[in-house]
Each structure stands twice: as C-alpha cells, then as structure tokens.
Amino acid sequence: MGFLDHTTNNIILDAVLTDGGRRALSRNDGSFSFVKFALGDDEVDYTTIQKFGRVVGKEKIEKNTPVFEALTNQNFGQKFRNISVSNPNLVRLPILSLTGEGLTDNIVSLGATTTKTATLTTTQTIQDEDSVDVELRDQGFEISLNNDFLQLQGQVPDLIDGTKVATYLVRRDSIETSVGGSRVTFTLEVRSISSSQFTVFGTSSNKNLIRTFIKVRGVQSGAVKEFEVQINKNN
Amino acid sequence: MAVYKELTPNDITTARSFLNQLIDIVQQDISGTTTRKTYQPFVTGGVGPGVTSSLFQTVYDQDHTLASANAVMDLTVGLYFSGSTVQDIKTGEDSAGKLLFPSTSLMMREKIDIYRQHSLLLLGGVTSQFSAPFGSETTGDLINEAFFIDFKRLFARDGIKRETFAMKFYQTSSNNGVGPSSFVTGNLDKTSNHGSAVYTDAGAASNQEVSFGGKVSNIVDSSNTDRTVGLLFNDQGIVVLDMAKIISGSEFVSGVIDAMSPAPLANQNNVVAGQTLIGDQVAGGNPNAKFIPDFLTSASIDNIVDHLAGARFSSGTLSSIVFQNQTVINSSLVFCRATADEFNYSSNTTFIDSDTRIVVIDEGLEDVQQTFTFVTSVGLYDASNNLLAVAKLSRPVEKNPEKDVVFRIRLDY
C-alpha cells in the first residue's frame, strides 16, 4: 500500500515489480525498461456519483474507497485503465460487444472432440451517437486466454507468461461499423486436452467440463470484454 | 495513444538511501545445542575410533532442524602460524611444506588454515597477522589465537554500521576446581557466571579505518576503552577477537575433549575411546593445563567452539550480541505526469451505464459538466505493453480536465 507524501505537491507511492518485471530483469537483455505508463481505477465504483451526486459522491469515493495492495501478477495488476481523449465533452463511450458461434449468455460452448472451434467477433458499439470518437477507435486488440486449453487459430501468441496465460495482439478487421467502431474476428480453437486434465481442471460437479475465461481489450479505447468458455469433453 | 503515455528519459531518475535494522542475538541461541549446528567434514583415522569435528559451527535463531530457522552466524577459531602457540608445539615440516605436530594435538593445520583464510580475505594475504588495535605492530597487540564470528548475510546485509556493535562475554571460566571428581565435568562445559565484560566498537565512528577487507573498527572493552580486544570488519560482517585478551588464557582447564585415544581412560568411566581428559592429574596427563596454549592445541575446533559458545556467552534470555546492519537501497524514481487533458475517462465498467452513457455527468447538464475520473494505481509498461511494475495509491485521487497531476513512483532494489 502506498501513502501520500503531504510535504510535496507530488503524490508519492511505492511500486512493486510484477512477475513479468522480474522475468524481464532476469533476462538481462535490456528488456526491463519503463517506456510508458497507464493509470488505473480498479477499486472505484462510479455509480456512487449517480447515487449521491457529484459533490457527495466524489467525497465518498475519495474517503470511503479502500485501495487494494498492488498485485504482482501482471495479468491482474491493472484491470481498468483510464483513458486520454482530447475531447473533454464526450458523453458516451464505446463498449465491446461479443457475437459468434456457440455463444449463449456471454458463455461460449466448445468441445474437446467435434466442436473444437468457434469464430467470434468483438465489436465496438456505442448508443445514441453518430460516431465513435476517432481517438477511441481500436486499431488492435489484446486477447488473453489460458494457453493450456485454448489458442487462436492461425495466430502466434506475443507472450505466454508464467501462469500459462497467452496474450495475442490481433489487428482489427478492415471493415468498421456504421458509426466507425472497430471490430476483430478471431477463431478460438480447443487444444488437445487429456482425460487427466479434465479430471484435474474439470468443475467439481462435472469433471467432463472445463471452465476458462478470455479477456479482450481494445488497445486504444482500453475497453475490456471478458467472457467464459466452457469446454465439454464429450462434444 | 489513449491508454498509455510515453515516458521520456527525463521522467526517470535514481536515488540511493540506507536502511538500518537492529539485530539482537540472545545468549541461549548461542549456547544452546539445538540452535547450534555442527558439521563433520574433519575425520581422523588410525588410532582408536577417530575424531570428527566441524571446521565451524552455525548459530541459528531457533532449533536448526526446523525449516523456519535462520542461520545467524558462524563461529570458529584460528591460530597464527608464527605465533608461539603453534611454534612451541610444532615438531617440524615435511618436504612439501606440511606442518607436523605431535599426536597429543588436534586439528592444528585446520586451525592455521582458518586463520590464513580470514587473513587472505580481510588483510589481503595469507601470512598477514591480525592485530588489535588495527595496524598495530606492538608484539602484545598481535593476535596469535583468534576467535572468529562470521555473521550471515541475512543479518549483516550490506554491512554492520559503525559504533553499533556490542557483545557480552565471560572472561573467566566457571570452575577452577581440582581433583578427580572435577576432571570429568571440568570447567569446559559449565556456564561461566562471573568475569563478564562488554566488548564494543565504541569510538569507531570517529576513527574510520579501512583494510583490504573494507571498513574495520577496533573492538574495545567498554570498561576500559584503551584495551582493544579485537576487530570488526564492517563490510564483511566478521568479528576477529584476540582470545588471549577475551579469556583468561592462563586459567586452569579441565574436562573431556576429543582425542586419538584407542581405549577408555583408566579410572574415568565417562571418558570413552576417542576421548581424553585435559587437566588430568591422575592418569598421567598435564595437571597444569591452561586454556592457552594447551586447550587450543589439544582440543578439536568443535571442542573449542562448544566451550566458547556454551560457557562464555551465558545461557539466559538476555542479549548477547547486538548491532545494527545496513542495507543500501537503490531506487528508481519515475515521474508520471498526467496533464490536464489526459486520463479523464475510464474503461471501468461502472464508468458508463447500460446505455454507454458516462455516469459522472448528470443528464441535462452535459453542457456545463465535464468528465472526471479517480486514480488508484499507476502501471509501468515496457514497449510491448507488458506490465513491469505497479504502484497503488493509499486513496483515490481525482483527475479532471482542470487538474495536472504528477505521480512519483519509487521502485526499490
């Protein structure tokens, strides 16, 4: 937990290296280099502003929001990032929506034998606006998934971390939506999963079913879409 | 880029600071047999069952067999090759340069090697001799018999801070009794209870000397600071004590020690094969045995360290050795500046409602109200967007289009 130093106008806080940072240090090849930063607000519930108004709501967030300690797992270190847009008068922001094969209630159903693939599309959508702000149109998407069970067909992961989470950086489709939103189409493919893996990683109520989660993040907008994938041993 | 902001070389700087920790080693950790670990690298052959001994013993902060025990320091002794204790007993030297000693002595070459090893590390040469005060060439100041305390890195860290070291030590042995009944129990394994002294590096801050082994401080008797009894090598975390000064070397010594003896000692049921009596007045031994030189030449390193650790530091719960270590902390300072027009929106799922509308702007007041966010963390990334370090604020800090904020991230190594 970092603390504010009230003796200066700056806000002082301590940082911890993530597992990725330690790995970069150990490589000793110059890859440990801070090139950019991002701000995050994982703990903040902005609906407090709606409930209490801007003045009281702000005060409640500032004073009544305990901040978690920094996590060293780089996959969870910063979940929600703040966004810079030069236009200060935006009223709406785009979100990511998911469509595709085998999708029901934000859950994608796949099988280990026959239905091993599903093609999905993530699209930037915005309501009641004529267009998505140019600065928020994603040119690429980061897709993170469990490398033991899934892969993106025809793609090579940019990083596989120590927790076996593979991150793919995928370029957007050339086609955009009517409001200028980006979209990305990718095909999920189930890897070869052994019976013993189903025994270990299967749900406690059904050892023929593995649940895993995928995160898609727009590189420019920072918008995140998380969804569940269920892999059935017998399908 | 809307999510990340590039850092320039001017945004990153380095700083150096120091952290001191107080280390307190209690008497019973040093004296206890379960907290002191022995090894068996030295094994003799030939006569009798032979003798096994450590070259040093390690003191732990609890039972050393427990996985949670931390090694605190190593204890050992050394003899200077040209000192009288070695020269008076040496019988010769073979053609290869190996020193020869009578069979009544034990581990003489190992004791000399321990001294030479410390000389090489701390004084720059194997033939160099320690002296207290440091650098003195007066005969009485030269250390011929040394007691070494080597603190583990876990406790010494980057070095021992000057003028913080103190240890309580008993100069006088427990029992000077004579007679057959006292030989077996002797005074070797009895805890001393009088003649205590406090040895300290008082004055080291105003007399900062340096050797091949880095910073060195004189260790003096606190009751008479003109009496220098040893040296503290601050950077190495090693204490070298002159045994001729910290114990009463001329005191009579008695007790059971390891020896190359093939059979139990006559009339002494407790002395089995592989052992003998020092200070023996009955079975033809030396009735005038002294700690220096007799005990130091006749006993194994284990015997000597057992006596020093078990009897001379007492065995209570009081502090026996205290010092402050020093850790150098190198820090990277990264200044992350969010200008007025940056980071005023959020990808937090609560930042917009189900209609993708920003919730912090009241409906109908879009023309007068502007967005704002709160910041709770700062992530530092490499060129490939890998999160290398993350910092958290103690409470959320507001960011809005009228606010310019600088976060100073300190990363310690």
Side-chain angles (χ1 to χ4, degrees):
Chain A
M1 182 82 74
F3 295 96
L4 295 171
D5 183 349
H6 298 285
T7 59
T8 73
N9 290 326
N10 294 336
I11 297 164
I12 299 172
L13 62 174
D14 280 318
V16 292
L17 287 182
T18 63
D19 52 347
R22 293 196 298 268
R23 189 171 55 245
L25 259 182
S26 68
R27 279 200 297 265
N28 194 31
D29 59 358
S31 57
F32 183 81
S33 176
F34 300 136
V35 174
K36 49 192 151 187
F37 73 93
L39 305 182
D41 57 1
D42 297 359
E43 290 87 354
V44 179
D45 180 2
Y46 289 98
T47 61
T48 306
I49 304 294
Q50 279 182 311
K51 295 170 188 166
F52 295 92
R54 282 168 66 101
V55 176
V56 177
K58 279 184 184 181
E59 196 169 337
K60 285 187 78 69
I61 289 175
E62 281 177 339
K63 294 180 178 175
N64 292 352
T65 304
V67 178
F68 294 114
E69 278 189 320
L71 275 175
T72 55
N73 186 320
Q74 68 168 348
N75 292 314
F76 306 114
Q78 270 196 317
K79 191 171 183 180
F80 301 123
R81 297 170 193 162
N82 292 11
I83 306 165
S84 300
V85 184
S86 54
N87 180 359
N89 300 313
L90 292 177
V91 176
R92 294 177 188 276
L93 292 177
I95 59 169
L96 297 180
S97 60
L98 183 69
T99 55
E101 300 169 345
L103 181 68
T104 308
D105 294 334
N106 215 35
I107 299 173
V108 178
S109 298
L110 289 171
T113 52
T114 52
T115 53
K116 293 184 72 171
T117 62
T119 300
L120 303 168
T121 302
T122 303
T123 309
Q124 276 190 301
T125 59
I126 191 167
Q127 293 190 20
D128 300 329
E129 291 283 4
D130 294 335
S131 68
V132 173
D133 191 280
V134 175
E135 294 178 48
L136 293 173
R137 295 179 185 178
D138 292 315
Q139 302 307 307
F141 293 83
E142 288 176 4
I143 302 174
S144 302
L145 47 79
N146 189 313
N147 197 51
D148 272 354
F149 307 131
L150 295 169
Q151 61 185 349
L152 290 193
Q153 200 173 63
Q155 304 272 354
V156 177
D158 291 83
L159 173 72
I160 302 173
D161 71 12
T163 59
K164 297 180 179 177
V165 173
T167 301
Y168 297 77
L169 187 59
V170 183
R171 186 174 295 183
R172 56 164 281 183
D173 297 349
S174 56
I175 302 169
E176 61 184 22
T177 67
S178 59
V179 292
S182 300
R183 68 173 54 169
V184 61
T185 303
F186 54 91
T187 301
L188 276 182
E189 185 174 24
V190 177
R191 287 182 179 275
S192 177
I193 304 174
S194 65
S195 296
S196 58
Q197 282 179 297
F198 272 100
T199 305
V200 174
F201 298 106
T203 63
S204 55
S205 59
N206 182 1
K207 284 296 177 186
N208 290 326
L209 186 73
I210 290 176
R211 298 173 65 200
T212 183
F213 296 86
I214 295 180
K215 181 162 67 179
V216 181
R217 186 199 299 271
V219 171
Q220 273 69 34
S221 69
V224 174
K225 178 68 180 177
E226 288 180 291
F227 59 95
E228 179 180 340
V229 174
Q230 295 185 352
I231 304 169
N232 195 308
K233 183 181 180 182
N234 301 318
N235 287 352
Chain B
M1 193 172 284
V3 175
Y4 304 107
K5 182 176 182 182
E6 303 281 332
L7 293 163
T8 67
N10 291 335
D11 294 327
I12 302 174
T13 185
T14 57
R16 199 162 184 254
S17 56
F18 298 92
L19 172 73
N20 294 121
Q21 292 173 303
L22 178 64
I23 304 299
D24 188 344
I25 304 165
V26 296
Q27 293 170 337
Q28 60 189 13
D29 281 349
I30 302 174
S31 63
T33 52
T34 58
T35 54
R36 198 152 27 88
K37 184 179 181 181
T38 60
Y39 310 86
Q40 294 187 328
F42 176 81
V43 182
T44 64
V47 185
V51 174
T52 62
S53 173
S54 313
L55 294 176
F56 61 88
Q57 295 186 4
T58 304
V59 173
Y60 284 74
D61 59 359
Q62 54 182 307
D63 185 341
H64 69 77
T65 60
L66 299 175
S68 56
N70 296 302
V72 179
M73 59 187 183
D74 295 322
L75 306 176
T76 187
V77 292
L79 299 176
Y80 185 59
F81 162 71
S82 299
S84 58
T85 302
V86 173
Q87 291 298 319
D88 290 351
I89 195 175
K90 189 181 77 168
T91 57
E93 190 173 331
D94 70 8
S95 58
K98 186 173 74 177
L99 299 178
L100 303 175
F101 294 96
S103 60
T104 52
S105 67
L106 200 57
M107 298 184 76
M108 288 301 290
R109 285 186 288 270
E110 285 73 20
K111 293 166 191 168
I112 293 169
D113 287 343
I114 292 284
Y115 193 105
R116 286 162 61 92
Q117 191 176 2
H118 283 85
S119 296
L120 181 62
L121 178 70
L122 303 173
L123 301 178
V126 290
T127 58
S128 301
Q129 186 172 17
F130 294 101
S131 63
F134 179 71
S136 171
E137 295 179 354
T138 306
T139 304
D141 294 336
L142 299 175
I143 300 177
N144 292 322
E145 304 85 15
F147 177 32
F148 297 106
I149 303 174
D150 300 31
F151 293 104
K152 294 289 190 183
R153 191 184 64 236
L154 179 65
F155 291 89
R157 295 294 180 98
D158 294 335
I160 296 174
K161 188 181 176 186
R162 285 189 194 271
E163 203 143 345
T164 64
F165 177 86
M167 65 179 271
K168 187 176 184 182
F169 194 81
Y170 286 77
Q171 301 172 97
T172 314
S173 68
S174 171
N175 181 7
N176 288 338
V178 292
S181 62
S182 65
F183 293 152
V184 177
T185 55
N187 57 4
L188 281 181
D189 57 356
K190 285 186 178 170
T191 303
S192 298
N193 51 15
H194 59 288
S196 71
V198 174
Y199 301 133
T200 169
D201 66 339
S206 56
N207 184 26
Q208 301 196 11
E209 296 195 75
V210 176
S211 79
F212 287 96
K215 295 177 196 164
V216 57
S217 308
N218 290 320
I219 295 177
V220 299
D221 188 336
S222 63
S223 64
N224 176 12
T225 54
D226 290 333
R227 183 170 171 262
T228 306
V229 299
L231 303 170
L232 167 62
F233 290 84
N234 301 76
D235 291 330
Q236 305 278 354
I238 295 177
V239 171
V240 183
L241 294 166
D242 187 348
M243 290 184 64
K245 292 179 180 174
I246 63 168
I247 66 173
S248 301
S250 59
E251 222 178 344
F252 174 68
V253 59
S254 64
V256 179
I257 58 173
D258 297 325
M260 300 285 287
S261 57
L265 204 60
N267 303 322
Q268 295 291 350
N269 293 333
N270 293 336
V271 183
V272 298
Q275 293 181 330
T276 191
L277 277 178
I278 189 169
D280 172 28
Q281 295 185 328
V282 176
N286 179 4
N288 300 312
K290 296 178 172 56
F291 277 97
I292 300 175
D294 303 302
F295 179 56
L296 293 186
T297 55
S298 303
S300 68
I301 290 178
D302 262 348
N303 292 148
I304 300 170
V305 173
D306 279 344
H307 170 69
L308 293 172
R312 301 289 182 145
F313 284 92
S314 196
S315 58
T317 56
L318 299 174
S319 296
S320 185
I321 299 176
V322 293
F323 61 86
Q324 285 184 37
N325 67 23
Q326 188 164 275
T327 305
V328 180
I329 299 173
N330 292 296
S331 305
S332 287
L333 298 176
V334 184
F335 294 87
C336 301
R337 183 180 181 191
T339 58
D341 62 341
E342 294 172 332
F343 301 107
N344 295 320
Y345 297 94
S346 174
S347 61
N348 188 314
T349 51
T350 65
F351 193 70
I352 53 176
D353 61 17
S354 57
D355 294 330
T356 69
R357 192 179 179 288
I358 297 172
V359 299
V360 301
I361 300 173
D362 295 333
E363 284 193 66
L365 296 174
E366 292 87 350
D367 53 340
V368 292
Q369 290 185 350
Q370 287 191 313
T371 178
F372 63 85
T373 58
F374 283 91
V375 179
T376 62
S377 70
V378 183
L380 301 174
Y381 293 81
D382 66 9
S384 303
N385 296 347
N386 293 311
L387 181 60
L388 300 179
V390 63
K392 299 296 283 268
L393 285 68
S394 54
R395 60 188 172 96
V397 171
E398 185 185 347
K399 178 71 190 71
N400 63 47
E402 297 176 356
K403 210 169 182 180
D404 189 315
V405 184
V406 176
F407 298 97
R408 192 181 78 164
I409 314 296
R410 200 181 84 178
L411 201 61
D412 295 336
Y413 299 96

